[in-house]
Amino acid sequence: MTTGAAEGIIRRMERVHRVVVVGAGFAGLSAIRTLAGADVAITVIDRRNFHLFQPLLYQVAAAALNPSDIAFPIRSVLRGQSNVERVVLGTVTSVDVEANAVDLEDGTRIAYDTLVVATGATHSYFGNDAWADSAPGLKTVEDALDIRRRILLAFEHAERRPQDIAELLTFVIVGAGPTGVELAGALIEIAVDAMKDEFDLIEPSDARVILVEAGEAVLPPYPEGLRRSARHQLEEMGVDVRTGTMVTGIDETGVTLSSGERIPAGTVLWAAGVQASPLVAMLPVQVDRAGRAVVAPDLTLPGHPQVFVLGDAALVDAGAVPGVAPAAMQQGRHAAKAIRARLAGRPVRPFRYRNKGSLATIGRARAVADFSVVRFSGFPAWAAWLAIHIWFLIGVRNRLFVFASWTWSYLTFRRGARIITGLPRAGSD
């Protein structure tokens, strides 16, 4: 870009309404796209240069997909949208709501007329942060690759030390929400199908997968019938499901349960809790226990209508709106429509969440689906899950690659992304 073109962009941004969107996840990207054609100048700020399709992140962890299959460069996504003036790779370190500006880690200050905070969430260990090294969660590409490495190394270590197979091939997953359920099913499939006949001294199918949930059922947000179906499908696959059981200790050698039982385990994975992005703590707003901003009915900060907080960063309607991708996208569209309404001098309506259904996959031809008026499980739910996730992926290439990978895996029972990357844990080699 020439110096003259850059100066032209700066002059336009000074002339029109400036919208700064922090975070290009589901909520942020939905807001940006809904603002297409509006007389605004949009600046997008993200710590990563790609949009990540998080619902399929567990498939990267389970060696079914590669990171590039579920990620798409932000600049490529938005290059055809003329009112996106800047895409900035950076981390917001402070928000000045009085001066209407955000500051980046290098000291850069970016002014706004409207700010959209859609920075998502990170892991929460409920005050037990020391567990993080022993029980990684799943929120980023790096998390997924680390988990994939730990899973695959567990089998390699068991092949070298078959006398320790009982511990090395015990996998404990803490938390039986969608991520925990999906990981549990995927681990069983890796052990039983993907690695069959590949080792000399061990049988991968001897692996033990234990799913621990403090609540009384798996998939707590789902209707009772689907919760029972999900548990039955998991147990049918061979997952040891422990509900009504809290984890009181985690270290490199396993977990301790509230009952006092000690489970030696080579791999522990965390899927039990999330915490809003640290950026929310910089805002002048009340937060809940998970660090989410308690927003007004129109998704703005109380007393600061120029600031919207969306997605996992926001507590909407006292928690009645779930922290899932469809809800985040609806919030993004609402924020964009509210900005358009303000510019046109129209009143802004409160946000209304429309529950279009929920799906959770458990394994090959196993899933549950809740579409309010109809609920079903098994193969039809699994097929619906596949179709919906492919549809919402960004980019034709990604859709084709994921469809091809899933088709190949379904026909052959194999997984094509079983590459061990990264350094081994200290003492594991």
Side-chain angles (χ1 to χ4, degrees), residues 20 22 30 43 74 79 106 113 133 148 163-164 191 232 240-241 256 263 266 276 292 298 330 349 357 365-366 388 429:
V20 172
V22 184
S30 180
T43 296
I74 297 170
R79 65 184 172 186
D106 63 355
D113 296 304
D133 289 340
R148 185 178 75 181
Q163 70 276 11
D164 298 324
H232 174 73
D240 181 357
V241 181
T256 303
I263 302 178
R292 297 175 296 179
D298 62 356
Q330 289 182 36
R349 297 180 179 179
R366 300 172 188 270
I388 289 172
D429 217 11

Side-chain angles (χ1 to χ4, degrees), residues 258-330:
S258 53
S259 62
E261 180 184 359
R262 174 71 182 176
I263 302 178
T267 305
V268 183
L269 304 177
W270 185 262
V274 295
Q275 184 81 11
S277 160
L279 179 60
V280 177
M282 304 175 193
L283 302 172
V285 65
Q286 178 186 352
V287 298
D288 70 348
R289 294 179 62 184
R292 297 175 296 179
V294 180
V295 296
D298 62 356
L299 306 182
T300 62
L301 291 187
H304 298 279
Q306 78 279 21
V307 180
F308 289 87
V309 184
L310 314 176
D312 288 336
L315 179 69
V316 183
D317 195 15
V321 178
V324 295
M329 289 188 286
Q330 289 182 36

